[in-house]
Amino acid sequence: MKIVVLAGGKSDEYDVSLSSGAMIANGLIRQGHQVLLMDLALGFSDTAGFAEAYDKHAQQIYTHQIESAFSKRETGEIGINVIEICREADITFLALHGGIGENGKLQALFDVYGIRYTGSEYQGSLLAMNKQISKELLRFHGFATADWQILGAEEDLTQVSLPAVVKPVDNGSSIGVTLVADFDSLQQAVKEAATFSRNGKALVEQQLIGREFSVGVLGEMVLPVIEIRPKQGFYDYTNKYQEGLTEELVPAPISPELTRRLQETAQQVHELLGLQVYSRTDFIVDQEGQPWVIEANSLPGMTPASLLPQEAAANGIDYDELCETIIQLSLEKEK
């Protein structure tokens, strides 16, 4: 098949997306596909079709120099010829994280143009990406999720119960996330997190103490539970993506009963938010053994350090097979 792998874009998770995109593109090439890796915000200025773009970069992964990465800041959200090239492909693999690639806007645009793509449609993408909406849905439907407030940097913060977790309302990869224990730190954390949110607000959440887990869903299959143990601090951006800073155990060393509860909840969250093809739901399990839903991810990371590929591998699905499965499930979704 002719497959475009879209990565990068104007997201705060740009580097992570490029890493996912390169891994996915290589995996699909090994599966025998004709693959073009393309930056969402840059596109290709010298071609208007998949065939010409692919021929120019045949059997090579298209990577950007540092200058190109910065030049995208001068472009719009969607680069030149992106729509035209994706329309000519059999399917577009979304290796995007954050921004319009994960909040449903790109999916809605692709629906208008009849472009087939991997993962969830725009409704599920929107619900999962916006932590305020997803937490309201989770709470309404009886799922345990930490108490929260949506606050701006200029609002009264004196009523916030500490310690707390401060995070952007609609971002991922733990970008802009801070654990706070005092009022001065809270003010600074809200101000920082708000800069990463499209609505200029921060989600201030009760801090839960416990063990951290994640569970992936792939089609009708719920993957093994993985436990996340940062060696220092919490599972922030650095601990997620720098090798050796976090211990990840899969299958998680927990009881069959807790495994079942986490897997069932992940499947239910996947369905509640209208997610499709694949997703990953993150949890904290407190000292009483109660699982709390942190958030759901509609486009889980596919880097060498990412959790979903590790979960799939524990279930006997190697990386290339995982990429192929996502393609096939997405094509079935389109039917």
mmCIF file of all heavy atoms in Angstrom, residues 165-208:
data_model
loop_
_atom_site.group_PDB
_atom_site.id
_atom_site.type_symbol
_atom_site.label_atom_id
_atom_site.label_comp_id
_atom_site.label_asym_id
_atom_site.label_seq_id
_atom_site.Cartn_x
_atom_site.Cartn_y
_atom_site.Cartn_z
ATOM 1 N N VAL A 165 -1.671 18.434 41.482
ATOM 2 C CA VAL A 165 -1.006 18.272 40.189
ATOM 3 C C VAL A 165 -1.575 19.328 39.261
ATOM 4 O O VAL A 165 -2.793 19.446 39.121
ATOM 5 C CB VAL A 165 -1.250 16.868 39.591
ATOM 6 C CG1 VAL A 165 -0.488 16.706 38.281
ATOM 7 C CG2 VAL A 165 -0.854 15.787 40.579
ATOM 8 N N VAL A 166 -0.707 20.105 38.653
ATOM 9 C CA VAL A 166 -1.136 21.157 37.730
ATOM 10 C C VAL A 166 -0.711 20.763 36.322
ATOM 11 O O VAL A 166 0.449 20.407 36.098
ATOM 12 C CB VAL A 166 -0.520 22.523 38.110
ATOM 13 C CG1 VAL A 166 -1.002 23.607 37.149
ATOM 14 C CG2 VAL A 166 -0.878 22.883 39.547
ATOM 15 N N LYS A 167 -1.654 20.809 35.380
ATOM 16 C CA LYS A 167 -1.342 20.386 34.019
ATOM 17 C C LYS A 167 -2.148 21.207 33.024
ATOM 18 O O LYS A 167 -3.191 21.761 33.367
ATOM 19 C CB LYS A 167 -1.630 18.894 33.843
ATOM 20 C CG LYS A 167 -3.069 18.493 34.133
ATOM 21 C CD LYS A 167 -3.293 16.989 34.012
ATOM 22 C CE LYS A 167 -2.700 16.213 35.162
ATOM 23 N NZ LYS A 167 -3.078 14.778 35.137
ATOM 24 N N PRO A 168 -1.688 21.296 31.778
ATOM 25 C CA PRO A 168 -2.484 21.953 30.741
ATOM 26 C C PRO A 168 -3.801 21.200 30.533
ATOM 27 O O PRO A 168 -3.866 19.978 30.735
ATOM 28 C CB PRO A 168 -1.598 21.867 29.494
ATOM 29 C CG PRO A 168 -0.214 21.656 30.019
ATOM 30 C CD PRO A 168 -0.373 20.849 31.275
ATOM 31 N N VAL A 169 -4.824 21.918 30.111
ATOM 32 C CA VAL A 169 -6.130 21.294 29.881
ATOM 33 C C VAL A 169 -6.084 20.360 28.687
ATOM 34 O O VAL A 169 -6.736 19.312 28.678
ATOM 35 C CB VAL A 169 -7.215 22.377 29.668
ATOM 36 C CG1 VAL A 169 -8.552 21.753 29.264
ATOM 37 C CG2 VAL A 169 -7.386 23.196 30.930
ATOM 38 N N ASP A 170 -5.279 20.710 27.659
ATOM 39 C CA ASP A 170 -5.305 19.924 26.419
ATOM 40 C C ASP A 170 -3.898 19.771 25.839
ATOM 41 O O ASP A 170 -3.589 20.315 24.783
ATOM 42 C CB ASP A 170 -6.244 20.572 25.393
ATOM 43 C CG ASP A 170 -5.950 22.052 25.192
ATOM 44 O OD1 ASP A 170 -5.016 22.570 25.829
ATOM 45 O OD2 ASP A 170 -6.644 22.688 24.388
ATOM 46 N N ASN A 171 -3.075 19.013 26.535
ATOM 47 C CA ASN A 171 -1.738 18.709 26.036
ATOM 48 C C ASN A 171 -1.356 17.335 26.533
ATOM 49 O O ASN A 171 -2.066 16.746 27.352
ATOM 50 C CB ASN A 171 -0.727 19.771 26.486
ATOM 51 C CG ASN A 171 0.292 20.096 25.401
ATOM 52 O OD1 ASN A 171 0.795 19.213 24.730
ATOM 53 N ND2 ASN A 171 0.576 21.378 25.232
ATOM 54 N N GLY A 172 -0.223 16.816 26.060
ATOM 55 C CA GLY A 172 0.183 15.476 26.438
ATOM 56 C C GLY A 172 1.660 15.386 26.754
ATOM 57 O O GLY A 172 2.361 16.387 26.874
ATOM 58 N N SER A 173 2.156 14.134 26.887
ATOM 59 C CA SER A 173 3.563 13.849 27.169
ATOM 60 C C SER A 173 4.049 14.501 28.457
ATOM 61 O O SER A 173 5.238 14.756 28.629
ATOM 62 C CB SER A 173 4.456 14.280 25.992
ATOM 63 O OG SER A 173 4.250 13.450 24.884
ATOM 64 N N SER A 174 3.118 14.806 29.368
ATOM 65 C CA SER A 174 3.441 15.448 30.648
ATOM 66 C C SER A 174 4.088 16.817 30.476
ATOM 67 O O SER A 174 4.756 17.324 31.377
ATOM 68 C CB SER A 174 4.349 14.549 31.503
ATOM 69 O OG SER A 174 3.670 13.375 31.873
ATOM 70 N N ILE A 175 3.923 17.430 29.309
ATOM 71 C CA ILE A 175 4.446 18.780 29.082
ATOM 72 C C ILE A 175 3.658 19.769 29.934
ATOM 73 O O ILE A 175 2.431 19.770 29.935
ATOM 74 C CB ILE A 175 4.351 19.154 27.594
ATOM 75 C CG1 ILE A 175 5.342 18.317 26.786
ATOM 76 C CG2 ILE A 175 4.602 20.636 27.365
ATOM 77 C CD1 ILE A 175 5.225 18.476 25.294
ATOM 78 N N GLY A 176 4.381 20.613 30.670
ATOM 79 C CA GLY A 176 3.735 21.615 31.504
ATOM 80 C C GLY A 176 3.112 21.077 32.773
ATOM 81 O O GLY A 176 2.352 21.789 33.436
ATOM 82 N N VAL A 177 3.420 19.821 33.152
ATOM 83 C CA VAL A 177 2.844 19.215 34.352
ATOM 84 C C VAL A 177 3.790 19.432 35.530
ATOM 85 O O VAL A 177 4.994 19.211 35.423
ATOM 86 C CB VAL A 177 2.593 17.708 34.146
ATOM 87 C CG1 VAL A 177 2.081 17.075 35.440
ATOM 88 C CG2 VAL A 177 1.592 17.489 33.024
ATOM 89 N N THR A 178 3.230 19.866 36.658
ATOM 90 C CA THR A 178 4.025 20.138 37.855
ATOM 91 C C THR A 178 3.306 19.603 39.087
ATOM 92 O O THR A 178 2.088 19.753 39.218
ATOM 93 C CB THR A 178 4.244 21.657 38.037
ATOM 94 O OG1 THR A 178 4.740 22.221 36.825
ATOM 95 C CG2 THR A 178 5.234 21.929 39.162
ATOM 96 N N LEU A 179 4.068 18.995 40.008
ATOM 97 C CA LEU A 179 3.541 18.643 41.322
ATOM 98 C C LEU A 179 3.834 19.802 42.266
ATOM 99 O O LEU A 179 4.974 20.267 42.342
ATOM 100 C CB LEU A 179 4.204 17.364 41.848
ATOM 101 C CG LEU A 179 4.081 16.108 40.989
ATOM 102 C CD1 LEU A 179 4.711 14.923 41.705
ATOM 103 C CD2 LEU A 179 2.629 15.813 40.643
ATOM 104 N N VAL A 180 2.820 20.268 42.973
ATOM 105 C CA VAL A 180 3.009 21.431 43.845
ATOM 106 C C VAL A 180 2.542 21.114 45.256
ATOM 107 O O VAL A 180 1.562 20.402 45.465
ATOM 108 C CB VAL A 180 2.262 22.672 43.309
ATOM 109 C CG1 VAL A 180 2.818 23.082 41.963
ATOM 110 C CG2 VAL A 180 0.767 22.419 43.211
ATOM 111 N N ALA A 181 3.272 21.694 46.246
ATOM 112 C CA ALA A 181 2.945 21.469 47.648
ATOM 113 C C ALA A 181 2.751 22.769 48.416
ATOM 114 O O ALA A 181 2.369 22.746 49.582
ATOM 115 C CB ALA A 181 4.033 20.635 48.314
ATOM 116 N N ASP A 182 3.011 23.921 47.779
ATOM 117 C CA ASP A 182 2.846 25.195 48.472
ATOM 118 C C ASP A 182 2.244 26.218 47.509
ATOM 119 O O ASP A 182 2.259 26.040 46.294
ATOM 120 C CB ASP A 182 4.189 25.696 49.017
ATOM 121 C CG ASP A 182 5.231 25.882 47.942
ATOM 122 O OD1 ASP A 182 5.185 26.908 47.220
ATOM 123 O OD2 ASP A 182 6.102 24.993 47.789
ATOM 124 N N PHE A 183 1.755 27.306 48.079
ATOM 125 C CA PHE A 183 1.006 28.292 47.304
ATOM 126 C C PHE A 183 1.870 28.980 46.254
ATOM 127 O O PHE A 183 1.434 29.192 45.112
ATOM 128 C CB PHE A 183 0.387 29.327 48.232
ATOM 129 C CG PHE A 183 -0.434 30.368 47.519
ATOM 130 C CD1 PHE A 183 -1.660 30.033 46.960
ATOM 131 C CD2 PHE A 183 0.025 31.664 47.380
ATOM 132 C CE1 PHE A 183 -2.423 30.985 46.295
ATOM 133 C CE2 PHE A 183 -0.731 32.620 46.718
ATOM 134 C CZ PHE A 183 -1.957 32.274 46.174
ATOM 135 N N ASP A 184 3.105 29.345 46.603
ATOM 136 C CA ASP A 184 3.982 30.021 45.640
ATOM 137 C C ASP A 184 4.242 29.139 44.424
ATOM 138 O O ASP A 184 4.204 29.611 43.283
ATOM 139 C CB ASP A 184 5.301 30.427 46.301
ATOM 140 C CG ASP A 184 5.122 31.560 47.302
ATOM 141 O OD1 ASP A 184 4.113 32.274 47.199
ATOM 142 O OD2 ASP A 184 5.981 31.710 48.188
ATOM 143 N N SER A 185 4.506 27.862 44.671
ATOM 144 C CA SER A 185 4.732 26.930 43.562
ATOM 145 C C SER A 185 3.467 26.762 42.724
ATOM 146 O O SER A 185 3.530 26.616 41.506
ATOM 147 C CB SER A 185 5.177 25.562 44.096
ATOM 148 O OG SER A 185 6.379 25.662 44.813
ATOM 149 N N LEU A 186 2.309 26.795 43.387
ATOM 150 C CA LEU A 186 1.036 26.650 42.684
ATOM 151 C C LEU A 186 0.827 27.792 41.704
ATOM 152 O O LEU A 186 0.439 27.562 40.544
ATOM 153 C CB LEU A 186 -0.110 26.622 43.698
ATOM 154 C CG LEU A 186 -1.528 26.610 43.122
ATOM 155 C CD1 LEU A 186 -1.785 25.332 42.334
ATOM 156 C CD2 LEU A 186 -2.555 26.757 44.250
ATOM 157 N N GLN A 187 1.082 29.004 42.122
ATOM 158 C CA GLN A 187 0.908 30.146 41.233
ATOM 159 C C GLN A 187 1.770 30.021 39.986
ATOM 160 O O GLN A 187 1.304 30.249 38.862
ATOM 161 C CB GLN A 187 1.242 31.441 41.979
ATOM 162 C CG GLN A 187 0.190 31.876 42.985
ATOM 163 C CD GLN A 187 0.507 33.224 43.583
ATOM 164 O OE1 GLN A 187 1.607 33.462 44.071
ATOM 165 N NE2 GLN A 187 -0.466 34.133 43.547
ATOM 166 N N GLN A 188 3.033 29.666 40.177
ATOM 167 C CA GLN A 188 3.942 29.533 39.041
ATOM 168 C C GLN A 188 3.536 28.379 38.137
ATOM 169 O O GLN A 188 3.587 28.482 36.905
ATOM 170 C CB GLN A 188 5.381 29.320 39.539
ATOM 171 C CG GLN A 188 6.417 29.190 38.444
ATOM 172 C CD GLN A 188 6.472 30.392 37.524
ATOM 173 O OE1 GLN A 188 6.307 31.534 37.977
ATOM 174 N NE2 GLN A 188 6.682 30.163 36.236
ATOM 175 N N ALA A 189 3.097 27.270 38.733
ATOM 176 C CA ALA A 189 2.707 26.096 37.953
ATOM 177 C C ALA A 189 1.478 26.372 37.102
ATOM 178 O O ALA A 189 1.401 25.949 35.939
ATOM 179 C CB ALA A 189 2.460 24.909 38.880
ATOM 180 N N VAL A 190 0.490 27.074 37.666
ATOM 181 C CA VAL A 190 -0.716 27.406 36.907
ATOM 182 C C VAL A 190 -0.365 28.323 35.747
ATOM 183 O O VAL A 190 -0.851 28.145 34.611
ATOM 184 C CB VAL A 190 -1.769 28.064 37.822
ATOM 185 C CG1 VAL A 190 -2.912 28.658 36.997
ATOM 186 C CG2 VAL A 190 -2.324 27.044 38.810
ATOM 187 N N LYS A 191 0.487 29.295 36.000
ATOM 188 C CA LYS A 191 0.901 30.211 34.944
ATOM 189 C C LYS A 191 1.597 29.460 33.807
ATOM 190 O O LYS A 191 1.324 29.692 32.622
ATOM 191 C CB LYS A 191 1.830 31.271 35.523
ATOM 192 C CG LYS A 191 2.260 32.340 34.526
ATOM 193 C CD LYS A 191 3.133 33.393 35.195
ATOM 194 C CE LYS A 191 3.562 34.473 34.201
ATOM 195 N NZ LYS A 191 4.399 35.512 34.853
ATOM 196 N N GLU A 192 2.482 28.519 34.163
ATOM 197 C CA GLU A 192 3.203 27.762 33.132
ATOM 198 C C GLU A 192 2.268 26.840 32.366
ATOM 199 O O GLU A 192 2.293 26.796 31.133
ATOM 200 C CB GLU A 192 4.321 26.937 33.768
ATOM 201 C CG GLU A 192 5.088 26.095 32.764
ATOM 202 C CD GLU A 192 6.138 25.211 33.409
ATOM 203 O OE1 GLU A 192 6.282 25.250 34.645
ATOM 204 O OE2 GLU A 192 6.809 24.471 32.666
ATOM 205 N N ALA A 193 1.430 26.094 33.082
ATOM 206 C CA ALA A 193 0.530 25.146 32.417
ATOM 207 C C ALA A 193 -0.434 25.863 31.484
ATOM 208 O O ALA A 193 -0.761 25.351 30.402
ATOM 209 C CB ALA A 193 -0.242 24.333 33.456
ATOM 210 N N ALA A 194 -0.884 27.053 31.884
ATOM 211 C CA ALA A 194 -1.830 27.802 31.058
ATOM 212 C C ALA A 194 -1.236 28.172 29.710
ATOM 213 O O ALA A 194 -1.959 28.275 28.709
ATOM 214 C CB ALA A 194 -2.292 29.057 31.804
ATOM 215 N N THR A 195 0.088 28.347 29.653
ATOM 216 C CA THR A 195 0.723 28.705 28.376
ATOM 217 C C THR A 195 0.686 27.548 27.386
ATOM 218 O O THR A 195 0.840 27.756 26.187
ATOM 219 C CB THR A 195 2.187 29.137 28.588
ATOM 220 O OG1 THR A 195 2.951 28.024 29.085
ATOM 221 C CG2 THR A 195 2.286 30.292 29.562
ATOM 222 N N PHE A 196 0.489 26.327 27.872
ATOM 223 C CA PHE A 196 0.434 25.162 26.998
ATOM 224 C C PHE A 196 -0.999 24.751 26.668
ATOM 225 O O PHE A 196 -1.216 23.757 25.971
ATOM 226 C CB PHE A 196 1.165 23.974 27.637
ATOM 227 C CG PHE A 196 2.652 24.146 27.748
ATOM 228 C CD1 PHE A 196 3.244 24.440 28.962
ATOM 229 C CD2 PHE A 196 3.461 24.033 26.625
ATOM 230 C CE1 PHE A 196 4.617 24.592 29.070
ATOM 231 C CE2 PHE A 196 4.835 24.183 26.715
ATOM 232 C CZ PHE A 196 5.410 24.478 27.947
ATOM 233 N N SER A 197 -1.993 25.488 27.181
ATOM 234 C CA SER A 197 -3.393 25.175 26.918
ATOM 235 C C SER A 197 -3.961 26.154 25.910
ATOM 236 O O SER A 197 -3.672 27.352 25.967
ATOM 237 C CB SER A 197 -4.221 25.259 28.215
ATOM 238 O OG SER A 197 -3.814 24.287 29.145
ATOM 239 N N ARG A 198 -4.785 25.668 25.026
ATOM 240 C CA ARG A 198 -5.369 26.526 24.006
ATOM 241 C C ARG A 198 -6.360 27.529 24.597
ATOM 242 O O ARG A 198 -6.589 28.584 24.009
ATOM 243 C CB ARG A 198 -6.044 25.672 22.927
ATOM 244 C CG ARG A 198 -5.029 24.933 22.061
ATOM 245 C CD ARG A 198 -5.671 24.053 21.008
ATOM 246 N NE ARG A 198 -4.640 23.408 20.204
ATOM 247 C CZ ARG A 198 -4.243 23.813 19.010
ATOM 248 N NH1 ARG A 198 -4.797 24.870 18.459
ATOM 249 N NH2 ARG A 198 -3.296 23.172 18.359
ATOM 250 N N ASN A 199 -6.949 27.202 25.749
ATOM 251 C CA ASN A 199 -7.899 28.133 26.361
ATOM 252 C C ASN A 199 -7.257 28.995 27.438
ATOM 253 O O ASN A 199 -7.946 29.739 28.130
ATOM 254 C CB ASN A 199 -9.101 27.369 26.930
ATOM 255 C CG ASN A 199 -8.737 26.499 28.124
ATOM 256 O OD1 ASN A 199 -7.558 26.353 28.468
ATOM 257 N ND2 ASN A 199 -9.738 25.904 28.745
ATOM 258 N N GLY A 200 -5.936 28.889 27.603
ATOM 259 C CA GLY A 200 -5.239 29.708 28.584
ATOM 260 C C GLY A 200 -5.547 29.360 30.022
ATOM 261 O O GLY A 200 -5.328 30.176 30.922
ATOM 262 N N LYS A 201 -6.021 28.138 30.266
ATOM 263 C CA LYS A 201 -6.362 27.692 31.612
ATOM 264 C C LYS A 201 -5.512 26.478 31.986
ATOM 265 O O LYS A 201 -4.942 25.807 31.134
ATOM 266 C CB LYS A 201 -7.840 27.313 31.705
ATOM 267 C CG LYS A 201 -8.806 28.437 31.344
ATOM 268 C CD LYS A 201 -8.984 29.407 32.497
ATOM 269 C CE LYS A 201 -10.091 30.408 32.199
ATOM 270 N NZ LYS A 201 -10.332 31.322 33.335
ATOM 271 N N ALA A 202 -5.479 26.198 33.283
ATOM 272 C CA ALA A 202 -4.790 25.014 33.780
ATOM 273 C C ALA A 202 -5.781 24.125 34.515
ATOM 274 O O ALA A 202 -6.744 24.604 35.123
ATOM 275 C CB ALA A 202 -3.649 25.412 34.713
ATOM 276 N N LEU A 203 -5.535 22.821 34.468
ATOM 277 C CA LEU A 203 -6.301 21.871 35.254
ATOM 278 C C LEU A 203 -5.517 21.613 36.537
ATOM 279 O O LEU A 203 -4.375 21.155 36.488
ATOM 280 C CB LEU A 203 -6.532 20.578 34.480
ATOM 281 C CG LEU A 203 -7.409 19.529 35.156
ATOM 282 C CD1 LEU A 203 -8.295 18.829 34.132
ATOM 283 C CD2 LEU A 203 -6.581 18.479 35.891
ATOM 284 N N VAL A 204 -6.128 21.950 37.675
ATOM 285 C CA VAL A 204 -5.491 21.745 38.972
ATOM 286 C C VAL A 204 -6.213 20.580 39.641
ATOM 287 O O VAL A 204 -7.401 20.653 39.955
ATOM 288 C CB VAL A 204 -5.571 23.008 39.846
ATOM 289 C CG1 VAL A 204 -4.857 22.774 41.177
ATOM 290 C CG2 VAL A 204 -4.953 24.198 39.115
ATOM 291 N N GLU A 205 -5.472 19.515 39.862
ATOM 292 C CA GLU A 205 -6.058 18.230 40.228
ATOM 293 C C GLU A 205 -5.515 17.775 41.578
ATOM 294 O O GLU A 205 -4.339 17.967 41.885
ATOM 295 C CB GLU A 205 -5.672 17.222 39.140
ATOM 296 C CG GLU A 205 -6.419 15.936 39.110
ATOM 297 C CD GLU A 205 -6.012 15.118 37.884
ATOM 298 O OE1 GLU A 205 -4.788 14.977 37.623
ATOM 299 O OE2 GLU A 205 -6.901 14.636 37.175
ATOM 300 N N GLN A 206 -6.371 17.161 42.367
ATOM 301 C CA GLN A 206 -5.932 16.554 43.623
ATOM 302 C C GLN A 206 -4.820 15.543 43.339
ATOM 303 O O GLN A 206 -4.947 14.707 42.445
ATOM 304 C CB GLN A 206 -7.110 15.842 44.292
ATOM 305 C CG GLN A 206 -6.738 14.988 45.494
ATOM 306 C CD GLN A 206 -7.827 14.000 45.862
ATOM 307 O OE1 GLN A 206 -8.872 13.941 45.214
ATOM 308 N NE2 GLN A 206 -7.590 13.220 46.903
ATOM 309 N N GLN A 207 -3.735 15.612 44.088
ATOM 310 C CA GLN A 207 -2.645 14.659 43.880
ATOM 311 C C GLN A 207 -2.992 13.324 44.524
ATOM 312 O O GLN A 207 -3.327 13.256 45.703
ATOM 313 C CB GLN A 207 -1.331 15.181 44.461
ATOM 314 C CG GLN A 207 -0.159 14.236 44.185
ATOM 315 C CD GLN A 207 1.163 14.761 44.719
ATOM 316 O OE1 GLN A 207 1.286 15.927 45.075
ATOM 317 N NE2 GLN A 207 2.163 13.905 44.771
ATOM 318 N N LEU A 208 -2.919 12.283 43.737
ATOM 319 C CA LEU A 208 -3.176 10.932 44.224
ATOM 320 C C LEU A 208 -1.844 10.243 44.515
ATOM 321 O O LEU A 208 -0.890 10.362 43.741
ATOM 322 C CB LEU A 208 -3.952 10.131 43.177
ATOM 323 C CG LEU A 208 -5.316 10.685 42.788
ATOM 324 C CD1 LEU A 208 -5.870 9.920 41.582
ATOM 325 C CD2 LEU A 208 -6.295 10.602 43.947
#
